[in-house]
Amino acid sequence: MSTALATDESHPITVEAAVHHTTADAAARRVPTSLVGIDPLELREAFGHFPQGVVVVAAEVDGRPEGLVASTFTVGVSLEPPLVTVAVQHSSTTWPKLAGAGAELGISLVGHGQSALCRKIASKDRENRFTGLRVTTGEGGAVTLDGAPVTFTTRIHDQVRAGDHDIIVLELLDLAVEDRSQALVFHQSEFKALGPLDADA
């Protein structure tokens, strides 16, 4: 749009610029969320009401698997190119290793019977997170969990800072679906199984 508005000094200013300044002024007047009385614990509890899939993001780093567990995975971000996202806390010590390795990243959706496995990978015992687990390592370094309902091979497409997390945009390179396996969800701080509703419900 090229329509211009006249200023007091008779120098035209584009509509786009006028909107930008108006938006910026409004943002400057906006009160930060932390000052309007939202309790972080209450917010966390509210977020917990939304069931979320849980994934393991993993790759081979220096000859051994490294991985993290995330309930912030989102599919359907884009079909062309095929993109997904995962949000990672700035405090994560594993993500910098995964991002800096230059390897492809494996995404494994956690399934029935894998909740203990998930907690093992999320533990502080970094040295033994993958000990005894059955995994597959791809040619590009992506590590996926055997028996997971869905696995993706990805590479980093973009990274955006968002508050206390980074949103990682991942491009899908390959996928595999295990029809006999069902996913778990994380809901109100517990792993729960998915199931169909009763027809009379």
Side-chain angles (χ1 to χ4, degrees):
M1 184 181 297
S2 59
T3 305
L5 303 175
T7 66
D8 291 341
E9 298 175 351
S10 299
H11 294 305
I13 178 171
T14 64
V15 171
E16 289 90 340
V19 171
H20 171 75
H21 289 306
T22 301
T23 304
D25 292 343
R29 294 192 300 270
R30 191 177 298 129
V31 178
T33 302
S34 60
L35 298 182
V36 297
I38 295 181
D39 185 325
L41 294 179
E42 184 180 1
L43 181 61
R44 182 184 294 272
E45 181 180 355
F47 283 170
H49 281 273
F50 289 84
Q52 297 169 293
V54 181
V55 299
V56 173
V57 184
E60 189 174 69
V61 179
D62 296 329
R64 57 179 296 165
E66 288 276 0
L68 57 83
V69 175
S71 61
T72 54
F73 182 68
T74 303
V75 299
V77 174
S78 171
L79 296 178
E80 184 55 46
L83 302 175
V84 297
T85 65
V86 64
V88 181
Q89 286 182 313
H90 292 159
S91 59
S92 171
T93 57
T94 301
W95 173 247
K97 294 183 177 182
L98 294 174
E104 295 173 355
L105 300 175
I107 307 290
S108 302
L109 179 63
V110 177
H112 285 196
Q114 294 184 317
S115 59
L117 168 157
C118 184
R119 295 186 187 282
K120 177 180 175 68
I121 296 174
S123 74
K124 295 182 179 180
D125 184 8
R126 183 184 301 276
E127 295 298 316
N128 294 300
R129 285 179 174 177
F130 286 86
T131 301
L133 302 186
R134 294 184 297 113
V135 301
T136 297
T137 303
E139 293 183 2
V143 173
T144 54
L145 303 176
D146 295 353
V150 179
T151 59
F152 298 108
T153 300
T154 72
R155 63 186 172 202
I156 297 174
H157 179 79
D158 200 359
Q159 185 166 328
V160 180
R161 189 176 181 87
D164 55 8
H165 281 63
D166 283 331
I167 298 174
I168 317 301
V169 183
L170 301 169
E171 181 180 2
L172 299 185
L173 304 175
D174 197 7
L175 62 86
V177 178
E178 175 55 68
D179 292 332
R180 292 171 296 179
S181 297
Q182 295 291 320
L184 290 178
V185 294
F186 198 63
H187 178 242
Q188 295 183 317
S189 301
E190 294 180 347
F191 285 106
K192 297 180 180 179
L194 293 171
L197 288 174
D198 189 326
D200 297 329

